[in-house]
Amino acid sequence: MKNGFNMVNLIEIQRFPVFFGLKGKYIHLFLHLMNQENQFKKVIAHAKEYGFVFLSSEIYDGLSAVYDYGPNGVHLKNNIKDYWWKAMVQGYDQIVGIDSAIFMHPTTWKASGHVDSFNDPMIDNRDSKKRYRADELIENHLNKIRSKIEKEVLKARKRIGEQFDRDTFLSTNQRVGGHQKKIDSISHRLTSCLKRSDLVGLKNLIEELAITCQVSGTNNWTDVKQFNLMFETKLGADKQSASDLYLRPETAQGIFLNYLNVQKSARKKIPFGIAQIGKAFRNEIVARQFIFRMREFEQMEMQYFIEPKTQKHWFSYWKEARLKWHLALGLGDDYYRFHEHENLAHYADAATDIEFNYPFGFKELEGIHSRTGFDLTNHQKYSGKKITYFDPHTKQSYTPYVLETSIGLDRMFLAVYTSSLKEQKLSDGSTRIVFELPPCLAPVKLAILPLVNNEELVHFGNHLVEKFKWDLSHVFDAKDTIGKRYRRQDAIGTPFCITVDFDSLKDNSVTIRNRDTMDQERIHVEHLKQVITSKVDMNSLLKTL
Ligand code: GAP
């Protein structure tokens, strides 16, 4: 059990053990990392204070890597779901949705390969008793070498100035060449060990690279063991006869088992897609970084059923379409990058991640996987049922291939959260916390604020609540000074506040304040709905896709 908002437990970064003694070149990096850590600490504190995310079972000291969403969090989460669902199911004629059960027949997981292959290699440090994923220790080591290359780039850019050409520098600089060679050789060995499940090879690599535990600073490692990430449970009251079940580690299998039911009932022809949003469960070895890596989380997955041998085309199609969906939110293009996989999951012949630049660095936000015919072929084999698709044009039956897009809803929440939360210095020297959420995702679209807590103004405000309550999510707040109330709304990301004053009683107008610019304007009540919905409406964003 962890104490929920204790950052020392929650953030996983390359930390230098304090007793190492910080020297010269490390001090700069150390300060940078401390800054990142502080930034993330603020995000977590904000999420709790303003009712976005709470640690589950907090009064019992919490449950490790399990979180609850509060009143504002559930709105933000639902709005993200809405943005994804509309883009997929309303945006494409050939995509339909389903909601399949979390419990599935246990053979599902044998056929899908999860019983045998959904493992992570784990390793313990004997001195600190801390547990790690062996592959992540090596990946982190690789990232350290990559950051050495970036440092060389920075130095050279400073030295050479405007004429600096990154590609030429990377291909000609000797030191960079040396680092790159190391990266290639380590990556190659890592991939080969993972492919062959060579646990001894992984341990040898960790020892050869002199990787140490970030807590004890020693390399006193246990052997590497495989650890299956699925949670097991029982179906049935009688212990003897109850059957073993798994909590689903991905929503995708519910789509695979239903694909023919959906295809026939929705009268779809290949290519067509099935979308689903739902909970998934993984007993992660190392679950840190707040809601980034959870044991219970939500996925938004879409399986696109295609003709075999067309997977390359659809892989690049969905890579582009998904990146476009992300960029349209306007969080900033620099936050995203693709990361092509070398170590493929057991079902894939190609895979790429859309990575997001979180406060702890670039990490996977979404996966795009070419799953071939792996899943359907195996379900056919294990069930003994024919689940081929009949092509009405060619009059041939075949097992479709699948192109999958899979995004973690909680990771998307964290991406939106960390990139939108800002501390802003104002011209009068004060600071404000402003949550610059894309307006269509904001939990509250409109705050109705009587200037003072006066009966007539409150009555007028309540009348506005009645007028807008079915169109816009709103709050009504008459407590505290107007300045404090503006700050409260800025901090939860409310795009518009309207203030009711004594003039409103005469001219039926109110003052509307913009969250980002803090500009205020007088506006007639009859124009409010049109002005606000034109800014917070999700459809205008969806139309750009
Ligand atoms: N159906 C394919 C699949 O599940 P994955 O790459 O294992 O692929 C897809 O997971 C997405 O689910 C990831 O890109 C990530 O956003 C999210 N995800 C995976 N494990 C997670 C965890 N422990 N906590 C939160 N999100 C997770």
Side-chain angles (χ1 to χ4, degrees):
M1 304 252 181
K2 276 183 200 153
N3 186 342
F5 295 96
N6 175 358
M7 286 301 303
V8 175
N9 287 331
L10 288 170
I11 192 164
E12 181 200 33
I13 55 175
Q14 303 298 306
R15 217 181 280 118
F16 295 92
V18 275
F19 51 82
F20 271 17
L22 299 169
K23 287 202 195 114
K25 64 178 177 175
Y26 289 127
I27 288 180
H28 179 72
L29 183 57
F30 179 75
L31 290 176
H32 172 66
L33 294 173
M34 287 307 290
N35 191 24
Q36 284 185 329
E37 188 162 330
N38 283 337
Q39 212 187 324
F40 199 39
K41 229 182 202 169
K42 283 184 186 168
V43 167
I44 295 166
H46 178 275
K48 182 178 177 185
E49 183 178 351
Y50 290 99
F52 284 89
V53 184
F54 308 128
L55 181 68
S56 166
S57 329
E58 196 186 291
I59 62 163
Y60 292 106
D61 293 335
L63 187 64
S64 173
V66 185
Y67 291 89
D68 300 332
Y69 287 82
N72 284 320
V74 71
H75 269 303
L76 175 54
K77 204 175 173 195
N78 283 340
N79 292 340
I80 295 173
K81 283 189 203 179
D82 217 26
Y83 179 49
W84 184 86
W85 188 263
K86 282 187 171 150
M88 285 293 181
V89 179
Q90 273 178 247
Y92 290 90
D93 272 351
Q94 66 274 36
I95 298 181
V96 289
I98 64 162
D99 182 16
S100 70
I102 287 171
F103 291 140
M104 299 182 71
H105 193 283
T107 312
T108 307
W109 306 108
K110 186 76 190 150
S112 68
H114 284 81
V115 172
D116 297 320
S117 308
F118 197 53
N119 301 316
D120 276 342
M122 74 180 186
I123 188 166
D124 293 327
N125 182 271
R126 288 200 181 91
D127 299 323
S128 66
K129 311 276 180 271
K130 219 172 145 39
R131 178 158 289 177
Y132 296 90
R133 263 175 63 177
D135 55 331
E136 276 195 2
L137 281 179
I138 299 166
E139 280 291 350
N140 288 343
H141 184 85
L142 284 168
N143 283 339
K144 275 189 198 167
I145 310 178
R146 287 189 189 108
S147 62
K148 282 184 186 165
I149 296 183
E150 285 312 312
K151 262 192 184 162
E152 296 291 345
V153 169
L154 267 180
K155 273 198 292 184
R157 193 191 294 278
K158 235 183 185 172
R159 204 175 53 242
I160 298 168
E162 276 191 1
Q163 261 128 43
F164 177 74
D165 180 70
R166 184 184 165 92
D167 291 341
T168 315
F169 177 75
L170 289 179
S171 59
T172 53
N173 182 278
Q174 272 191 355
R175 257 197 303 269
V176 169
H179 292 319
Q180 192 56 50
K181 243 189 193 157
K182 273 191 203 156
I183 291 175
D184 293 343
S185 142
I186 299 168
S187 301
H188 176 75
R189 279 182 66 188
L190 174 62
T191 308
S192 138
C193 288
L194 291 176
K195 266 198 185 134
R196 292 178 291 113
S197 294
D198 177 2
L199 305 183
V200 176
L202 281 176
K203 183 169 180 194
N204 289 344
L205 191 52
I206 288 171
E207 285 181 339
E208 276 172 45
L209 297 172
I211 294 174
T212 53
C213 165
Q214 63 188 20
V215 175
S216 67
T218 71
N219 60 356
N220 190 7
W221 298 111
T222 61
D223 287 341
V224 179
K225 286 186 217 123
Q226 287 288 27
F227 178 78
N228 193 287
L229 302 186
M230 285 196 294
F231 283 102
E232 287 173 49
T233 186
K234 296 263 182 208
L235 181 81
D238 178 358
K239 269 194 181 159
Q240 305 302 316
S241 62
S243 49
D244 290 327
L245 287 190
Y246 297 101
L247 295 186
R248 67 180 179 197
E250 61 169 4
T251 60
Q253 298 301 326
I255 291 181
F256 292 131
L257 297 202
N258 277 301
Y259 106 92
L260 266 192
N261 283 337
V262 173
Q263 183 263 320
K264 287 181 180 153
S265 58
R267 303 171 64 236
K268 293 289 167 203
K269 283 191 197 139
I270 275 179
F272 74 94
I274 306 178
Q276 169 160 231
I277 300 177
K279 291 263 182 174
F281 304 83
R282 294 183 190 178
N283 199 0
E284 297 283 357
I285 296 174
V286 184
R288 297 197 193 115
Q289 295 157 320
F290 194 34
I291 55 171
F292 180 81
R293 196 175 300 283
M294 301 159 89
R295 296 203 162 97
E296 173 182 341
F297 58 99
E298 257 179 286
Q299 289 185 316
M300 305 191 284
E301 298 203 295
M302 193 281 298
Q303 264 58 44
Y304 207 63
F305 296 86
I306 56 174
E307 248 184 84
K309 302 219 173 81
T310 60
Q311 69 265 37
K312 266 202 177 140
H313 162 75
W314 290 114
F315 187 60
S316 40
Y317 174 85
W318 281 109
K319 265 175 73 174
E320 197 185 313
R322 293 304 302 144
L323 186 63
K324 201 168 176 196
W325 180 87
H326 285 285
L327 297 181
L329 276 179
L331 302 178
D333 297 6
D334 292 348
Y335 277 109
Y336 304 88
R337 73 178 186 197
F338 282 118
H339 170 78
E340 302 294 333
H341 279 217
E342 282 173 40
N343 306 316
L344 292 171
H346 58 274
Y347 48 71
D349 74 352
T352 195
D353 291 339
I354 295 179
E355 291 189 336
F356 190 82
N357 196 2
Y358 292 98
F360 38 86
F362 273 100
K363 295 270 174 183
E364 174 184 350
L365 164 61
E366 169 156 9
I368 296 148
H369 312 127
S370 168
R371 291 182 78 131
T372 65
F374 177 90
D375 300 88
L376 293 182
T377 307
N378 275 355
H379 286 310
Q380 184 151 276
K381 187 170 119 195
Y382 278 81
S383 67
K385 306 271 163 39
K386 193 171 158 216
I387 51 170
T388 48
Y389 167 78
F390 177 73
D391 186 327
H393 296 302
T394 62
K395 313 271 185 245
Q396 304 275 316
S397 290
Y398 63 86
T399 305
Y401 272 27
V402 172
L403 208 293
E404 160 183 84
T405 72
S406 174
I407 174 169
L409 174 56
D410 312 87
R411 283 195 191 175
M412 185 62 196
F413 186 101
L414 190 60
V416 170
Y417 213 104
T418 53
S419 56
S420 302
L421 191 61
K422 315 238 161 100
E423 200 174 281
Q424 204 176 55
K425 257 217 151 26
L426 303 177
S427 50
D428 64 1
S430 63
T431 54
R432 69 163 180 158
I433 301 293
V434 55
F435 203 9
E436 288 181 350
L437 291 168
C440 66
L441 299 186
V444 175
K445 307 288 192 250
L446 171 68
I448 297 167
L449 314 173
L451 185 62
V452 288
N453 203 352
N454 161 286
E455 202 179 318
E456 278 182 287
L457 299 192
V458 167
H459 180 74
F460 193 99
N462 279 329
H463 166 72
L464 291 181
V465 168
E466 282 306 311
K467 194 173 169 70
F468 294 118
K469 75 175 179 191
W470 302 116
D471 297 311
L472 296 162
S473 56
H474 63 275
V475 292
F476 176 86
D477 188 0
K479 290 194 203 100
D480 289 328
T481 63
I482 191 71
K484 270 195 185 159
R485 281 180 278 160
Y486 282 154
R487 289 289 174 273
R488 221 160 28 224
Q489 296 308 318
D490 289 344
I492 64 164
T494 307
F496 294 103
C497 290
I498 57 173
T499 312
V500 177
D501 56 25
F502 289 102
D503 286 341
S504 309
L505 305 177
K506 291 180 228 143
D507 63 7
N508 209 20
S509 295
V510 289
T511 302
I512 183 166
R513 174 187 177 269
N514 182 302
R515 175 196 70 194
D516 300 337
T517 60
M518 293 191 289
D519 288 344
Q520 300 191 11
E521 247 187 276
R522 202 72 191 161
I523 182 169
H524 195 277
V525 166
E526 290 312 314
H527 299 145
L528 265 178
K529 188 174 154 194
Q530 196 268 327
V531 167
I532 297 174
T533 43
S534 71
K535 298 272 167 44
V536 303
D537 178 32
M538 189 176 282
N539 293 352
S540 44
L541 204 65
L542 290 162
K543 282 178 191 159
T544 67
L545 296 179

